[in-house]
Amino acid sequence: MEQKVLLLIILPLPVFGFVYLYSQRRLFEINLPELSSWWESFLLGMLTILLLFQWYFIRTAIKDILNQDLSLEERMVAYGQKTLLRFWILFASAILSAAGLLLFDHAIFTVTFAITLVMLSIAKPSPHRVVRILKLKGEEKEAVMDLRRKG
């Protein structure tokens, strides 16, 4: 899972970097269609919904995991699946932010990308984060912390 999460964090960076540099210095021209401001508002609304949804989704998923009587392994698998889905949502947000900047050349899409990056860095799973979120204690906590020492 860690490799997939890292890929979902790293892949949008060069895409957005290219688009940002293109928006700042137009060394060449890309023939893009003229879109109405309605599409800009729609895309910004979608980005807002995605960012809010990923936060709500993970909170709900964690509550569901904690309310079930699952073994440590089952909780870790469930948390891993939900976290991976969250990172796919954030990946989509990053790519849509880049598309918005490319198509509309509006700084608000740079802000949405920055917010996405903050969410990506906050959400990155680590043993400490898993212990805190899943409220592990005793042997379960040590088992998860040992993953850090071994990995």
Side-chain angles (χ1 to χ4, degrees), residues 4-38:
K4 290 177 186 175
V5 166
L6 288 175
L7 278 174
L8 292 173
I9 292 171
I10 292 170
L11 287 177
L13 293 174
V15 173
F16 189 84
F18 170 79
V19 171
Y20 181 79
L21 288 174
Y22 174 76
S23 73
Q24 297 301 307
R25 299 175 183 250
R26 303 212 183 232
L27 298 175
F28 57 93
E29 195 60 39
I30 299 175
N31 293 328
L32 298 170
E34 282 289 322
L35 299 174
S36 70
S37 62
W38 183 89

Side-chain angles (χ1 to χ4, degrees), residues 40 44 47 97 101 104-115:
E40 182 178 3
L44 188 56
L47 285 164
S97 294
L101 183 62
F104 302 107
D105 199 22
H106 196 282
I108 193 69
F109 294 105
T110 304
V111 173
T112 59
F113 185 78
I115 292 169

Side-chain angles (χ1 to χ4, degrees), residues 126-146:
S126 70
H128 289 289
R129 181 172 171 76
V130 171
V131 165
R132 183 177 50 81
I133 287 176
L134 296 181
K135 300 177 182 176
L136 303 177
K137 293 181 175 37
E139 290 180 16
E140 290 180 336
K141 177 181 177 180
E142 289 304 315
V144 171
M145 295 307 286
D146 282 343

